[in-house]
Structure formats: C-alpha cells, structure tokens
Amino acid sequence: MHRGTLRVIAPAKVNLYLAVGERRPDGYHDVTTILAALDLADEITLGPASELSIACEPDLGIPAEDNLAYRAALALGAALDCEPLVAIGLSKRIPHGAGLGGGSSDAAA
C-alpha cells in the first residue's frame, strides 16, 4: 500500500429481521431492522488522485456512475463543497446481487 492510501474492510450483512412501518407524512416509511455482519467482506482502498476514479476487481460491468461507492464519494464531495479527488479500488469478495449488502457496505466504507 502506498503512502496516503487508506484500506477499509466492508463486511457483508444479512437481515435477520425487517419491518416496514406505515407511510409517514413525508412519504417515507419507518423501518426497523436487525442486521448481522458476516466474516465475508470486500476490501476498499482509497488514495489521492487528480480526479475521481473507481476500479473493481473482478470487473462487474457496472458503469462508474452506477457504482454506490463512486456515488457516495460524489455525495461526500458535494456535502463538503470540494472535488472528490480520490482513486477508489474495490476488491470484491461479496457476491454481486446476493442480497448481502455488498454495494451499500462499500459505499458506507
């Protein structure tokens, strides 16, 4: 790992319980959930870059703008009013589309 690079582990999760409440006045629903983290995890590396980029291994064929980690970096940059000059590397171990929260865990990491 290069100097200035951050490595983050993003664990898979499984829903043990999920309840969706009544619709609130704002149109959203209250949600109650119980999650359990699994030992299975993706690895994310973040490093300084001249522009925002993302590389996923293995390649899942998802355009950068549709990747939740990429979108999270854009949202964080907008919230902080700065350009997200970071190279994101995703080492995917959580199976894509398995319902184990891989994309959302990557975004949170």
Side-chain angles (χ1 to χ4, degrees):
M1 197 163 32
H2 295 88
R3 182 183 173 128
T5 300
L6 177 66
R7 178 178 162 262
V8 182
I9 300 301
K13 57 89 179 161
V14 62
N15 266 318
L16 301 175
Y17 175 80
L18 176 66
V20 180
E22 297 295 319
R23 185 183 303 245
R24 302 183 314 217
D26 64 4
Y28 291 95
H29 298 263
D30 287 322
V31 174
T32 302
T33 185
I34 298 173
L35 303 174
L38 304 177
D39 287 337
L40 182 64
D42 291 345
E43 182 177 311
I44 294 88
T45 56
L46 305 165
S50 58
E51 64 182 14
L52 177 60
S53 66
I54 190 163
C56 184
E57 182 60 40
D59 182 5
L60 302 176
I62 299 171
E65 59 274 6
D66 292 338
N67 185 290
L68 294 180
Y70 185 92
R71 290 170 52 189
L74 287 175
L76 181 59
L80 297 175
D81 194 30
C82 67
E83 190 76 23
L85 302 177
V86 63
I88 304 168
L90 296 178
S91 179
K92 294 293 293 175
R93 296 183 184 103
I94 302 170
H96 175 68
L100 298 175
S104 58
S105 186
D106 295 345

